[in-house]
Amino acid sequence: MIEKQILQTLRKVCSDKNKFYSLHEPYFVGNESKYVKECIETGWVSSAGKFVDQFEKDIANFTGVKYAIATVNGTAALHICLLLAGVKPNDEVLSPTLTFVATTNAISYCNATPHFVDSDYETLGINTKKLEKYLEKIAEIKNNTCYNKKTKKIIRAIIPMHTFGHPVDLTHLNKICKKYKITMIEDAAEALGSFYKNKHVGNWGKLSAISFNGNKIITTGGGGIILTNSKKLAKLAKYITTTAKKPHPYEFFHNMIGYNYRLPNINAALGCAQLENINTFLKLKRKLSNQYQKLFSNIKGIKFFNEPKDCKSNFWLNVIILNKANIKLRNSILKITNDNKIMTRPAWTLMHKLPMYKKCPKMNLSIASDLEKRLINIPSNAFLWKK
Ligand SMILES: *Cc1c(COP(=O)(O)O)cnc(C)c1O
């Protein structure tokens, strides 16, 4: 029975029967307490402080993107990326149907319409081949702007999401964006430490967003960051996420609608300490995924998902994919593993099936619909790896 085989295989990694194994959890093994204590002792816990500046510098260094602007969470970062990319009410924004709801909600916050795109079996992200064919059919360019011929709306932007840390085919997507005058914004929320053709993700989009929620590869408790190589956009991002206040010693003057989206210093302190250990986390997570891959290769009827061509993934969440013949077993696999305190989870419900997004424009979504039925996430904590 394949359910038992999967449980036995996971037991080799999650070996303590009395313990609960989550999908992902934070590890504080460095300077976290020291830096947070420093915030408390100096009183710098809130909207300004040295750790925010330090964290922004450290993330820019690590990713190789020139500018980084810390935010209160990843969703807020995405929202601002879209605003600064020029997404306006009534625009359409292309985005995967297989994603976490934050990607799609950020589009709605701009009063724009999500337009759903199918997935790729090789990357689990946007299917660039299908997208190109689809745009040939439905899009036209007028005045350097891409229009949806059917809805007459502007297709302003696209949000590739690097699913579970696996990069999208960014070279091809970049070509499509250039051809169709569509702005790319990367949802790299799950992909800190992931590289495409030796360059960190977040370098391809005009703007990109990363999340530091508690379940991500490093955490600030809650937090996010905007990345961009444009000095002008970086300045504007800082301004708009800090209430758009004109600098002045005592006067309050705001010349546009800003947001209180800044990351508190105490959260940034946690992030600085976490980032000091990211290479350890990445190394361990790669070893864990190699171990899983070996173990699961002995089970017929499932596949362990490995990093796509030209990519170095952070293996944020490991994933197994059931063969089509085993689709019916998914729920019993989820049940037996969770009953045994080993957390497993199916893919997110696809965005075009959610009540608020049912009527949005979409292409044929057959691959995402198929993947949704076959995909299972398994425990992925870096410290699960054992020799
Ligand atoms: C985690 C996540 C976000 C946003 O995260 P926050 O919880 O707001 O920090 C956005 N998109 C994806 C795909 C995510 O996984």
Side-chain angles (χ1 to χ4, degrees):
M1 233 175 54
I2 195 166
E3 299 97 311
K4 285 257 170 68
Q5 275 182 305
I6 289 174
L7 179 63
Q8 279 160 7
T9 302
L10 287 172
R11 261 287 166 248
K12 288 183 183 149
V13 173
C14 310
S15 51
D16 183 348
K17 284 192 178 170
N18 296 312
K19 217 181 120 177
F20 170 75
Y21 290 91
S22 64
L23 280 191
H24 212 279
E25 59 195 57
Y27 279 92
F28 302 121
V29 291
N31 287 319
E32 285 85 354
S33 302
K34 186 177 157 204
Y35 295 170
V36 169
K37 197 164 165 237
E38 189 183 321
C39 291
I40 295 168
E41 284 173 352
T42 58
W44 290 95
V45 294
S46 190
S47 52
K50 70 169 195 186
F51 286 114
V52 175
D53 300 338
Q54 185 65 48
F55 189 53
E56 289 175 340
K57 250 185 242 146
D58 291 349
I59 290 285
N61 266 338
F62 182 76
T63 58
V65 184
K66 279 198 190 129
Y67 307 98
I69 301 91
T71 56
V72 70
N73 57 51
T75 311
L78 265 178
H79 179 194
I80 299 302
C81 286
L82 288 165
L83 282 179
L84 297 190
V87 173
K88 303 209 169 51
N90 277 322
D91 285 352
E92 287 181 9
V93 177
L94 299 163
S95 62
T97 187
L98 180 69
T99 188
F100 176 56
V101 72
T103 320
T104 317
N105 283 344
I107 300 168
S108 299
Y109 300 162
C110 300
N111 293 309
T113 307
H115 185 151
F116 294 116
V117 178
D118 203 11
S119 309
D120 191 322
Y121 286 120
E122 304 300 317
T123 66
L124 305 180
I126 284 178
N127 190 318
T128 53
K129 288 190 197 88
K130 252 178 117 164
L131 174 69
E132 190 169 28
K133 284 206 188 100
Y134 180 64
L135 287 174
E136 269 168 34
K137 249 187 6 209
I138 67 128
E140 66 178 341
I141 297 166
K142 283 187 291 187
N143 305 325
N144 239 359
T145 307
C146 183
Y147 284 83
N148 181 337
K149 283 192 275 191
K150 222 164 118 191
T151 61
K152 314 279 187 232
K153 289 183 179 179
I154 295 174
I155 302 177
R156 187 80 64 183
I158 186 162
I159 315 180
M161 193 279 278
H162 306 300
T163 313
F164 311 132
H166 298 294
V168 168
D169 177 4
L170 287 163
T171 310
H172 190 198
L173 189 57
N174 210 0
K175 273 189 198 141
I176 297 170
C177 287
K178 280 216 174 95
K179 182 171 167 196
Y180 284 94
K181 321 287 177 199
I182 296 171
T183 304
M184 191 201 295
I185 293 143
E186 288 175 67
D187 181 346
E190 307 178 351
L192 183 69
S194 295
F195 293 79
Y196 177 80
K197 295 192 172 160
N198 294 321
K199 226 163 123 183
H200 198 284
V201 296
N203 269 293
W204 275 262
K206 187 169 187 182
L207 295 133
S208 311
I210 294 179
S211 165
F212 307 110
N213 192 39
N215 62 342
K216 298 297 202 293
I217 187 156
I218 68 162
T219 186
T220 55
I225 213 158
I226 299 164
L227 300 175
T228 182
N229 282 310
S230 152
K231 190 173 181 180
K232 194 174 136 224
L233 289 176
K235 265 182 99 171
L236 199 54
K238 192 64 176 179
Y239 188 62
I240 201 171
T241 53
T242 54
T243 72
K245 181 184 175 293
K246 283 273 168 200
H248 192 279
Y250 47 85
E251 261 174 27
F252 278 84
F253 185 79
H254 312 262
N255 61 350
M256 63 193 285
I257 297 175
Y259 297 82
N260 182 13
Y261 276 180
R262 63 186 123 213
L263 184 72
N265 197 50
I266 194 166
N267 297 85
L270 207 52
C272 288
Q274 287 265 283
L275 197 57
E276 288 170 356
N277 281 317
I278 188 156
N279 287 323
T280 306
F281 296 159
L282 286 169
K283 221 190 289 168
L284 289 172
K285 286 175 76 65
R286 177 162 291 269
K287 284 184 174 175
L288 177 65
S289 76
N290 284 339
Q291 187 174 33
Y292 271 139
Q293 199 185 349
K294 261 190 222 132
L295 289 169
F296 280 111
S297 67
N298 297 322
I299 306 182
K300 281 204 189 81
I302 67 162
K303 187 184 108 179
F304 179 83
F305 187 84
N306 213 335
E307 63 198 340
K309 207 174 103 229
D310 298 328
C311 296
K312 193 164 183 215
S313 303
N314 67 358
F315 288 98
W316 172 56
L317 282 190
N318 289 300
V319 59
I320 54 173
I321 299 181
L322 305 174
N323 284 5
K324 290 199 190 206
N326 292 320
I327 282 176
K328 284 204 195 92
L329 298 177
R330 190 196 74 173
N331 288 354
S332 48
I333 294 165
L334 290 168
K335 182 159 177 10
I336 194 171
T337 47
N338 282 290
D339 282 351
N340 281 279
K341 297 196 201 172
I342 297 175
M343 187 173 172
T344 57
R345 203 174 57 182
W348 307 280
T349 300
L350 299 178
M351 291 302 111
H352 72 281
K353 292 181 173 176
L354 300 180
M356 61 286 193
Y357 295 127
K358 258 186 190 149
K359 289 185 180 145
C360 293
K362 55 180 182 283
M363 66 156 81
N364 168 290
L365 300 170
S366 59
I367 296 173
S369 303
D370 178 48
L371 280 171
E372 185 196 27
K373 296 188 201 112
R374 295 164 54 196
L375 208 159
I376 297 177
N377 285 123
I378 57 178
S380 301
N381 290 316
F383 286 79
L384 276 178
W385 180 75
K386 292 187 219 76
K387 261 188 210 152

